[in-house]
Amino acid sequence: MLTYAIKRIALAVLILFVVMLAMYGMVFLVPGDPASVALGPRATPALKAMLTERMGLDQPIAVQIWRFFANAAQGDLGIDVWSKRPVLDQILEAFPQTLLLGLVALTWALTLGITLGVLAVVYRGTLIDRALGLVSVSFISVPSFVVAIYLLLIFAVWLQWLPA
């Protein structure tokens, strides 16, 4: 069990590394340089040069990536360009609500999933079982943002149980 846990943690670290690398690489896929995108079309060349130097974008890519990972490993995710606040502070500020939302969603999913699963087993082979199977496959097959829009429509607009 310990080796399984170590493998899973190592895989999670590897996935985190690849995602962070991809995220950092996406900065360079945006047309134009990152400083111009961050400052907008009215920025002066001097302001762009200052931001480029402050963000370290004048360094070679390998140095930028190394600095990015070294800072991230220390918990320094940088300063948000627009709000001028540390990114980690913004993440930690939103974390309690995100955690609560995740726990509520997990509770609903477990409650609904177990209840409907038991119902499908009790009425195996009947129309109820087939309907529940169709609904569950539909929810898995449809992209989550589409399901979210329809659930908002049902629970917030039609039933008015939640604020829209």
Side-chain angles (χ1 to χ4, degrees):
M1 186 68 173
L2 181 63
T3 53
Y4 176 76
I6 291 172
K7 285 180 185 178
R8 297 302 289 185
I9 291 171
L11 183 62
V13 168
L14 178 65
I15 289 171
L16 184 64
F17 175 77
V18 170
V19 166
M20 288 174 66
L21 188 62
M23 179 187 68
Y24 193 81
M26 282 186 214
V27 168
F28 299 101
L29 295 177
V30 175
D33 65 300
S36 297
V37 172
L39 293 172
R42 295 185 184 161
T44 64
L47 195 57
K48 289 179 188 177
M50 184 184 74
L51 184 63
T52 300
E53 183 181 336
R54 192 176 76 198
M55 292 174 71
L57 297 173
D58 55 345
Q59 302 291 321
I61 297 289
V63 173
Q64 292 179 40
I65 291 173
W66 172 257
R67 186 174 293 145
F68 175 73
F69 280 111
N71 290 341
Q74 296 173 7
D76 179 12
L77 299 177
I79 304 293
D80 183 34
V81 176
W82 289 281
S83 69
K84 307 289 189 259
R85 292 179 50 213
V87 173
L88 185 61
D89 290 351
Q90 292 178 337
I91 291 171
L92 293 176
E93 185 178 296
F95 186 72
Q97 292 85 2
T98 304
L99 184 62
L100 179 63
L101 182 63
L103 290 174
V104 169
L106 181 64
T107 302
W108 271 102
L110 287 174
T111 303
L112 203 59
I114 291 171
T115 304
L116 295 179
V118 168
L119 193 62
V121 169
V122 168
Y123 294 104
R124 185 181 346 193
T126 65
L127 185 61
I128 293 173
D129 179 30
R130 292 173 198 258
L132 289 174
L134 179 68
V135 168
S136 67
V137 169
S138 298
F139 271 95
I140 292 171
S141 303
V142 176
S144 59
F145 66 89
V146 174
V147 173
I149 290 171
Y150 279 109
L151 289 176
L152 263 172
L153 181 67
I154 292 168
F155 290 108
V157 177
W158 292 345
L159 297 175
Q160 295 181 349
W161 291 359
L162 302 170

